[in-house]
Amino acid sequence: MEIPTSENANAPQLQHRSLIEERVRALYNGIPLSIGVTLILDLLLTLSHWNIIGQGDLILWNIFMMCAMVLRTVNWFFWRNTESNFSPRYWLTTFRIGALLGGLMWGSASYFMFASFNTTYQALLAFTLAGVASGSLTTLAIDKLSAVGFVTLAIVPLSLRLHAEQGQIAVSMSIMVALFIVFVLSASARARQQLENSFAQNARLIEWGNDRLQQQQMSKIVSQTQTLFIAANDDNKTFEHLLENVVKLTGSQFGFIGEVKYSEEQDPYLNMIAMTNIAWDKASRAAYNNYKTQGMKFSNLNTLFGAALTSGKPIISNNPASDMRAGGTPKGHPPITAFVGIPIFNNGQQVAMLGLANKETGYTEAHIENLKPVTSLISQFMIAIAHRRQHVIDEENIKRQAKHTQAILDGAFDGIITLNESGIITSFNHAAEVIFGYRANQIIGSSLLKLLPKYARNQNEQNPIKNISEILDVGQEMVGLRKNGKEFEMELALSAIQGEVDIAYVGVIRDISDRKHTDKLKNEFIATVSHELRTPLTSISASLAIIESGSLGTLPDKISNLIQIAKQNSIRLQNLINDLLDMDKLLSNKIEFDYKNFDAVTLVEKSIAANQYIADKHNVRFQISSAEEKCHIYADEARTQQVLTHLLSNAAKFSHPHSNVDLSISKTSNLVKILVTDYGTGIAPEFKPNIFRSFTQADSSSSRQKDGSGIGLTISKELIEKMGGKIGFTSNLGQGSSFYFELPIAH
């Protein structure tokens, strides 16, 4: 625990002495009384024995007594004036020597003043010495060695003399000596215990007070530093203010706060963010000034702070001169007499270090514990600084990404616009400018409805986002309006981006007027060709049927086979024309449906029978593997059979010879599902997204082995979806495919 002093804090002072200091103070404070009483007793004893024993012995004894008293007086005088210059143990030792010397002088009275021929004076001497011993307990009891030594030296010599002279009071005197020594030990123990209890209570009070002062001072430093960190927005100034206060609070001379960083080789080093000004010569002043402007880093790990940095544990060294971990100091640097380095962590990662040096009394583990609020504060600051730095990096990345995105948008062929929650245009790329004829600054801030003709807008324009939601959808084809008033067909894909507080919209616009015109010409061409081919093809098919029937006579086998091949190909060509006509109707939305209830199982059986020639051609077998009862569908039966024919044809074409094509019929509460499964080659993963696109085949080369137009699945998808159903598939390459469609159940 560090106590603030007048030199290092403005807080009130609370100081306490150690137990040995209290004992020394109590002992030395009793010396004047002890010397005064000794003089009185010496005088009385001298006067009483002046005419009884030899006067020369009395004078010699008094000389010895005076010498002992003078020495004790001098010791007391020096203690009063130079107490702080020597340790408490030194003063205790000198006091004990004086006490033992005093006891020896009193004990020598048995030699100089013993009246061999007069028991009265022997008793007087005995009781006087006993009184001296008992009286000395008032000042000596708190130090057992002084008390026992004094009593022993004062009384034991007389007791031995009485035994040697076989005096009448020898036995009683011996008993008295023994009792005195016991009393001395008991009194000394009680006095010492009382002193220690009093000292402990006083120390607790002072320590509590110091803890409170320390906490108040620490809280004040933390609060001031936090305020400065928020208000000043100057990290170095904040850390320098914190370091200055911590150095004062701990009574240190030097200190630093360093951020832990890592080199390219992942070696840690300290980058100073606050450092005490300890410039001692021209070179060091220049180095310090350079630190103030450009910073300073320390990468030498063969130092005390390096030991803390590499070990990740606090380092305390109160004798750096002989510490093997210390790497020395630069020439002319003030000597380091004590050092503590405290690593600071955040989520297990070392982020900073606090270093303090040259506290007079050295550092202890208690200092590390007491500095935890400061190290926690530094850790929080490092987190905040890291967030600031990351924020700056993120802002730069956002700006860079925005420029990159804008460059991509400007280079895109499709028009890209963004809308806010109210449907107001917030960005307009270059392609959009080309499509609509507006410059970005002319249209940004306007409603999207400005780009649509009036008949496409809702009459209520007070809530444009509602109108946009009603007329736009992902990939919807609609009519756009250019700046010059011309209308054109466009495709707009609008997607919503959910922000933290609002919604934004991104629209991708493509001018499809040319494509629509091309598609129209293509569809018209297909429709015209299909109609033109259908009439002669019907006549050809009818003629071939008449010839095949034998009504014109029996044909040779070779001619009959050729007629059959011609008929099959005419049927195939007729189906192709029908598919093309169906596609035309589907695209122009002119197809009509005859909805009715029909049995799914019966439909499947009819389809298998009607397409048996396909199974025979590819050498496969159509079979119903499972079927639930009472599976009635509400849809167009002919169109449903057309879809099933396409699925059976595909399954047969891609099945292995002599394999089966399984059909299953199942139902739920709302739908009837028909599944066609083959065990052929399967569909490659890269072709799966295009499986329902028009005129596409897995093998589209001119040398492909599988025939077909590539529109059967497209027609099937359109028919099923227009009848309110759903179509799909699953496939594994090399294991076969399963195509299914679901149609509403008939209730």
Side-chain angles (χ1 to χ4, degrees):
M1 170 69 67
E2 175 61 31
I3 308 303
T5 64
S6 58
E7 291 79 19
N8 63 25
N10 296 322
Q13 298 181 32
L14 289 176
Q15 300 181 354
H16 66 270
R17 296 178 295 273
S18 64
L19 179 61
I20 191 171
E21 287 179 303
E22 288 291 334
R23 188 183 301 171
V24 167
R25 186 172 292 272
L27 291 172
Y28 273 88
N29 285 334
I31 288 179
L33 176 62
S34 175
I35 292 175
V37 172
T38 299
L39 282 172
I40 295 172
L41 291 174
D42 178 88
L43 181 60
L44 292 175
L45 198 59
T46 301
L47 292 175
S48 64
H49 285 71
W50 186 258
N51 295 319
I52 305 301
I53 60 176
Q55 295 176 355
D57 291 338
L58 280 175
I59 293 172
L60 183 58
W61 178 72
N62 275 281
I63 291 173
F64 287 150
M65 287 293 293
M66 290 302 168
C67 289
M69 286 188 286
V70 168
L71 289 174
R72 295 197 69 195
T73 302
V74 170
N75 187 24
W76 174 82
F77 178 80
F78 277 103
W79 171 81
R80 285 290 302 272
N81 293 278
T82 61
E83 177 186 0
S84 60
N85 294 344
F86 300 93
S87 68
R89 192 162 296 281
Y90 166 81
W91 292 115
L92 181 61
T93 300
T94 58
F95 179 87
R96 287 172 174 173
I97 292 172
L100 294 176
L101 182 61
L104 181 62
M105 291 303 100
W106 278 110
S108 65
S110 63
Y111 174 79
F112 291 104
M113 304 177 65
F114 189 81
S116 302
F117 52 86
N118 195 325
T119 57
T120 301
Y121 285 97
Q122 291 177 9
L124 176 60
L125 180 60
F127 280 103
T128 301
L129 293 179
V132 169
S134 60
S136 298
L137 290 179
T138 58
T139 57
L140 301 179
I142 60 174
D143 182 52
K144 182 165 58 175
L145 181 60
S146 298
V148 174
F150 182 88
V151 171
T152 302
L153 292 174
I155 300 178
V156 169
L158 178 62
S159 178
L160 295 176
R161 183 68 182 272
L162 289 172
H163 276 281
E165 297 289 337
Q166 297 182 352
Q168 299 178 2
I169 59 173
V171 176
S172 58
M173 189 62 187
S174 298
I175 295 173
M176 182 179 67
V177 168
L179 291 175
F180 264 31
I181 293 175
V182 172
F183 292 156
V184 166
L185 292 173
S186 177
S188 177
R190 287 197 302 273
R192 186 170 61 256
Q193 185 63 42
Q194 184 178 2
L195 177 65
E196 290 176 355
N197 291 340
S198 176
F199 174 81
Q201 183 178 7
N202 185 45
R204 283 195 298 271
L205 290 174
I206 293 175
E207 185 176 358
W208 177 83
N210 286 329
D211 284 340
R212 295 287 296 172
L213 289 174
Q214 183 85 352
Q215 292 172 4
Q216 291 174 3
Q217 192 74 359
M218 191 70 73
S219 298
K220 183 179 179 182
I221 292 173
V222 170
S223 177
Q224 289 177 346
T225 308
Q226 287 175 332
T227 302
L228 185 63
F229 184 79
I230 295 171
N233 198 24
D234 186 338
D235 298 336
N236 290 95
K237 183 177 180 180
T238 301
F239 281 110
E240 287 173 0
H241 171 83
L242 177 62
L243 179 62
E244 180 182 358
N245 282 278
V246 170
V247 168
K248 289 181 178 179
L249 182 66
T250 58
S252 304
Q253 292 182 5
F254 314 134
F256 67 82
I257 299 174
E259 181 182 8
V260 177
K261 291 190 173 183
Y262 294 88
S263 64
E264 294 180 356
E265 295 77 18
Q266 294 302 306
D267 294 326
Y269 68 89
L270 280 181
N271 183 53
M272 291 300 157
I273 50 181
M275 188 168 64
T276 307
N277 184 358
I278 54 173
W280 59 92
D281 56 18
K282 184 176 180 180
S284 60
R285 280 192 296 273
Y288 184 78
N289 292 333
N290 182 68
Y291 149 73
K292 295 293 288 183
T293 56
Q294 301 181 15
M296 183 180 296
K297 71 176 184 179
F298 293 97
S299 56
N300 182 11
L301 300 180
N302 296 320
T303 57
L304 289 172
F305 78 80
L309 195 62
T310 53
S311 67
K313 298 179 180 179
I315 294 294
I316 296 176
S317 179
N318 290 320
N319 189 13
S322 60
D323 197 320
M324 296 294 292
R325 299 169 297 181
T329 56
K331 184 179 179 181
H333 190 287
I336 302 297
T337 58
F339 175 82
V340 59
I342 307 174
I344 299 170
F345 293 85
N346 173 36
N347 292 331
Q349 182 179 2
Q350 194 173 175
V351 295
M353 179 180 291
L354 171 64
L356 299 171
N358 287 20
K359 173 179 169 55
E360 286 188 8
T361 57
Y363 299 98
T364 64
E365 295 290 339
H367 291 95
I368 298 174
E369 184 68 24
N370 294 333
L371 286 170
K372 277 188 176 180
V374 173
T375 55
S376 297
L377 182 66
I378 294 174
S379 176
Q380 294 170 7
F381 284 169
M382 297 309 298
I383 295 173
I385 291 172
H387 287 169
R388 286 181 185 174
R389 292 172 180 168
Q390 188 60 44
H391 181 67
V392 173
I393 294 173
D394 290 343
E395 284 186 339
E396 291 297 325
N397 289 337
I398 290 172
K399 291 179 182 178
R400 190 161 47 250
Q401 187 64 35
K403 292 180 180 179
H404 179 69
T405 303
Q406 191 60 46
I408 294 175
L409 294 179
D410 290 339
F413 290 104
D414 292 332
I416 301 174
I417 63 174
T418 57
L419 312 170
N420 64 13
E421 192 173 8
S422 300
I424 303 301
I425 298 171
T426 57
S427 71
F428 208 71
N429 77 333
H430 178 68
E433 292 179 336
V434 173
I435 292 172
F436 289 98
Y438 290 100
R439 301 291 295 174
N441 57 2
Q442 294 175 328
I443 195 65
I444 290 176
S446 302
S447 171
L448 176 65
L449 299 178
K450 189 174 181 178
L451 304 178
L452 306 176
K454 289 185 178 180
Y455 62 81
R457 306 178 191 174
N458 194 291
Q459 296 297 321
N460 178 19
E461 296 189 5
Q462 300 300 317
N463 189 0
I465 197 66
K466 179 180 178 182
N467 299 333
I468 292 172
S469 300
E470 291 175 351
I471 63 175
L472 297 183
D473 196 1
V474 176
Q476 180 172 343
E477 295 181 2
M478 56 191 312
V479 178
L481 182 66
R482 305 189 201 274
K483 182 181 178 182
N484 58 13
K486 291 185 178 180
E487 298 179 2
F488 68 98
E489 290 183 280
M490 68 177 185
E491 186 178 70
L492 187 144
L494 188 68
S495 58
I497 301 175
Q498 181 66 52
E500 293 183 0
V501 294
D502 56 6
I503 300 175
Y505 295 88
V506 176
V508 179
I509 298 171
R510 180 173 296 175
D511 185 348
I512 59 172
S513 54
D514 291 341
R515 190 189 76 190
K516 296 291 285 186
H517 180 67
T518 302
D519 289 345
K520 182 179 179 182
L521 293 176
K522 181 186 70 174
N523 293 334
E524 289 177 353
F525 172 76
I526 291 173
T528 301
V529 171
S530 299
H531 280 289
E532 292 300 324
L533 290 176
R534 197 172 192 182
T535 301
L537 188 60
T538 302
S539 300
I540 293 172
S541 297
S543 300
L544 291 173
I546 293 172
I547 295 172
E548 186 184 25
S549 65
S551 59
L552 299 179
T554 305
L555 299 175
D557 291 340
K558 290 184 178 181
I559 295 176
S560 178
N561 290 335
L562 291 174
I563 293 297
Q564 187 176 8
I565 292 171
K567 180 184 175 183
Q568 290 178 354
N569 280 282
S570 67
I571 294 173
R572 175 184 170 192
L573 186 58
Q574 206 168 15
N575 290 336
L576 176 59
I577 292 172
N578 290 334
D579 286 344
L580 291 172
L581 291 174
D582 284 341
M583 278 294 299
D584 179 55
K585 290 179 182 179
L586 288 169
L587 292 174
S588 59
N589 207 22
K590 295 178 181 178
I591 196 166
E592 296 180 357
F593 294 95
D594 180 18
Y595 288 95
K596 62 181 180 180
N597 296 344
F598 58 90
D599 182 58
V601 176
T602 302
L603 174 74
V604 170
E605 291 174 345
K606 287 168 59 178
S607 298
I608 290 176
N611 293 282
Q612 185 60 44
Y613 72 96
I614 297 176
D616 295 341
K617 177 182 177 181
H618 295 284
N619 200 14
V620 297
R621 178 171 176 263
F622 296 147
Q623 64 177 15
I624 299 176
S625 60
S626 64
E628 294 187 26
E629 296 181 353
K630 297 180 180 180
C631 290
H632 290 83
I633 298 173
Y634 180 72
D636 187 315
E637 184 176 4
R639 293 299 183 184
T640 305
Q641 187 172 351
Q642 181 181 351
V643 172
L644 190 54
T645 296
H646 285 306
L647 298 185
L648 289 172
S649 176
N650 275 353
K653 281 192 296 184
F654 294 100
S655 290
H656 298 303
H658 308 291
S659 64
N660 294 332
V661 174
D662 292 332
L663 291 89
S664 64
I665 304 103
S666 60
K667 65 180 179 179
T668 63
S669 59
N670 297 317
L671 297 170
V672 174
K673 181 178 181 180
I674 297 177
L675 179 69
V676 179
T677 303
D678 68 73
Y679 306 97
T681 57
I683 302 171
E686 61 272 13
F687 185 70
K688 287 181 179 179
N690 302 320
I691 197 71
F692 289 110
R693 291 181 60 185
S694 302
F695 305 105
T696 56
Q697 289 182 323
D699 181 8
S700 58
S701 64
S702 59
S703 61
R704 66 179 184 266
Q705 298 178 354
K706 307 296 183 182
D707 56 8
S709 62
I711 61 174
L713 290 178
T714 306
I715 294 172
S716 299
K717 183 175 185 296
E718 291 290 335
L719 290 174
I720 293 297
E721 289 181 352
K722 287 185 180 298
M723 289 189 294
K726 184 174 68 172
I727 190 169
F729 73 97
T730 60
S731 179
N732 292 314
L733 191 63
Q735 299 179 12
S737 305
S738 295
F739 281 82
Y740 68 89
F741 63 85
E742 297 174 334
L743 288 172
I745 195 169
H747 294 288

